[in-house]
Amino acid sequence: MNEQIASIQTAALELIAAASDERSLDDARVSTLGKKGTLSLAGALIKDIPNEEKAAFGQSLNAARTTLTAALEEKQTQFQQQADQAALTGIDLTLPARSIHTGALHPLTQIRHEAITILRRMGFALADGPEIEDEFHCFDALNTPADHPARNEKDTFYFDSGKLLRTHTSSVQVRTMETAQPPIRIIAPGSAYRRDEIDSTHLSVFNQLEGLFVDTDVTLPDLKGTLEYFFHEMFGNSTEVRFRPHFFPFTEPSFEIDVKLQRKGEAPRWIEVAGCGMVDPAVFESINGTRKDNALDTEKLTGFAFGMGLDRLAMIRWAIKDIRLLIENDTRFLSQFA
Ligand code: DAH
């Protein structure tokens, strides 16, 4: 090896060995292999060397560079290991790890997704409407007269403008029929608002899922079959479902649907879960009145509608005794659904 290069290498190795931390090691790298480092400056001398010695000189230069690079790397690894070691001292590896909390969907969201999935399989499409409604879409178009108790200020949240917080999702039936071309097959999940006293089964904001099917041959057996299928999918095939005659202004005939709830250690009870019926032709007529194209021809079309309480479904599914648990966001309750 060229003598000059050999002495540069020796000096550089000493510098590297003497480095006490990453910073001084970096200084050593710069002062030897850096652009203006000792080895690089020596390399520049190659042009003054006689031709026959150039090859040997070049080889010495490369050999020195390889040796120094390896020495630098080795020292660097050594510092890294020391740093890792230092970081670990003082840490008690026997401490139990902090538990990781996984997020989960709220039970109401879960039940809504499930209900939507079942009904979409049957061909229902999602529809939407505003929560701040007017009386026409919430009541008038739904054949609900001005003196009906649901329209009372005691039961409904009115704004000074005369608008109101929708008391049911049935207003989405009207919104949809105003623009859609039959056949219509929609579902509309959403919030509804009533001035109810809050207790274990009532909230002033609750969740419904509305359904509407309008076509040429829609019959009562279609309504019954659809909803029985729905509740069997929801709660299991052995669940008993009962249609109880009732009155709603916008359907004729109308029914309330009860599901038989059997809780362990309790006598079985019927729980009301939905209202439904065959769409009253008066509803079609009032919408024809605004559309002016007789698209909902009462001579040709019939329909069924239903509205179910999603909070109720969740309470039945998980035997939840107090509806308030669904809005209190107590993680002791919610974590059970994760
Ligand atoms: N809107 C009714 C309520 O909130 C429920 C209902 C009954 C919806 C009958 C319907 C229906 O679509 O046909 O009590």
Side-chain angles (χ1 to χ4, degrees):
M1 180 182 257
N2 178 292
E3 251 176 60
Q4 193 186 358
I5 293 179
S7 73
I8 290 176
Q9 178 175 308
T10 312
L13 284 175
E14 276 169 18
L15 208 55
I16 292 168
S20 55
D21 55 19
E22 291 197 47
R23 207 187 159 136
S24 48
L25 184 65
D26 208 45
D27 290 344
R29 174 184 300 121
V30 172
S31 69
T32 53
L33 301 182
K35 248 196 216 156
K36 290 186 182 151
T38 46
L39 199 64
S40 311
L41 293 177
L45 299 175
I46 199 161
K47 60 182 190 311
D48 306 326
I49 287 178
N51 273 348
E52 61 277 17
E53 288 173 27
K54 274 200 166 103
F57 184 82
Q59 274 168 12
S60 301
L61 209 56
N62 281 341
R65 182 170 287 276
T66 310
T67 308
L68 294 180
T69 307
L72 284 162
E73 261 172 33
E74 194 185 322
K75 192 80 180 181
Q76 175 68 37
T77 312
Q78 194 184 320
F79 285 144
Q80 189 58 52
Q81 282 168 352
Q82 281 168 1
D84 290 349
Q85 200 57 44
L88 284 176
T89 45
I91 292 182
D92 181 356
L93 293 176
T94 64
L95 271 181
R98 267 186 219 136
S99 60
I100 297 169
H101 296 285
T102 24
L105 294 177
H106 190 280
L108 266 175
T109 309
Q110 293 185 29
I111 223 73
R112 188 175 65 239
H113 284 183
E114 235 180 275
I116 291 172
T117 304
I118 298 168
L119 289 158
R120 284 185 96 142
R121 273 209 309 271
M122 288 193 269
F124 287 88
L126 276 172
D128 202 1
E131 292 180 17
I132 297 177
E133 257 303 358
D134 51 47
E135 291 196 282
F136 176 76
H137 291 92
C138 209
F139 302 125
D140 297 306
L142 289 165
N143 199 31
T144 308
D147 58 357
H148 191 278
R151 302 183 67 153
N152 196 307
E153 285 203 7
K154 283 214 314 285
D155 294 322
T156 301
F157 294 104
Y158 282 92
F159 294 92
D160 291 342
S161 64
K163 289 210 169 192
L164 51 98
L165 289 174
R166 69 179 178 198
T167 55
H168 51 188
T169 44
S170 303
S171 52
V172 186
Q173 288 187 36
V174 180
R175 295 253 166 214
T176 307
M177 286 190 277
E178 277 177 338
T179 51
Q181 214 49 43
I184 297 168
R185 197 166 0 171
I186 55 107
I187 47 173
S191 304
Y193 302 82
R194 286 183 202 168
R195 293 178 82 140
D196 274 336
E197 285 291 327
I198 293 172
D199 61 25
S200 64
T201 53
H202 294 90
L203 289 172
S204 46
V205 187
F206 56 103
N207 298 277
Q208 289 193 327
L209 186 142
E210 192 75 18
L212 173 70
F213 182 21
V214 179
D215 204 345
T216 43
D217 293 305
V218 183
T219 62
L220 187 54
D222 293 326
L223 164 63
K224 243 188 130 203
T226 302
L227 291 175
E228 265 169 5
Y229 175 80
F230 174 83
F231 287 111
H232 284 161
E233 285 293 288
M234 198 67 173
F235 295 122
N237 279 334
S238 57
T239 306
E240 284 181 65
V241 181
R242 154 174 107 174
F243 289 73
R244 195 165 27 79
H246 195 74
F247 173 79
F248 293 106
F250 35 93
T251 43
E252 177 60 31
S254 306
F255 304 89
E256 278 191 333
I257 305 173
D258 302 329
V259 162
K260 198 178 215 173
L261 179 65
Q262 298 215 254
R263 280 196 191 128
K264 264 196 211 117
E266 281 181 24
R269 321 188 259 138
W270 289 102
I271 306 272
E272 179 205 323
V273 287
C276 66
M278 300 305 292
V279 179
D280 192 313
V283 174
F284 290 155
E285 289 301 0
S286 82
I287 294 163
N288 280 332
T290 33
R291 285 186 67 132
K292 308 220 167 24
D293 63 355
N294 203 36
L296 297 154
D297 189 341
T298 50
E299 295 295 318
K300 295 197 185 119
L301 298 173
T302 50
F304 70 66
F306 57 88
M308 56 181 83
L310 290 175
D311 312 78
R312 287 272 170 89
L313 300 191
M315 290 173 78
I316 293 173
R317 158 68 60 81
W318 290 294
I320 298 168
K321 291 220 166 109
D322 193 321
I323 195 172
R324 289 169 286 201
L325 286 165
L326 291 172
I327 58 160
E328 279 168 353
N329 280 341
D330 185 334
T331 52
R332 288 169 302 182
F333 169 73
L334 292 177
S335 62
Q336 300 174 66
F337 303 91

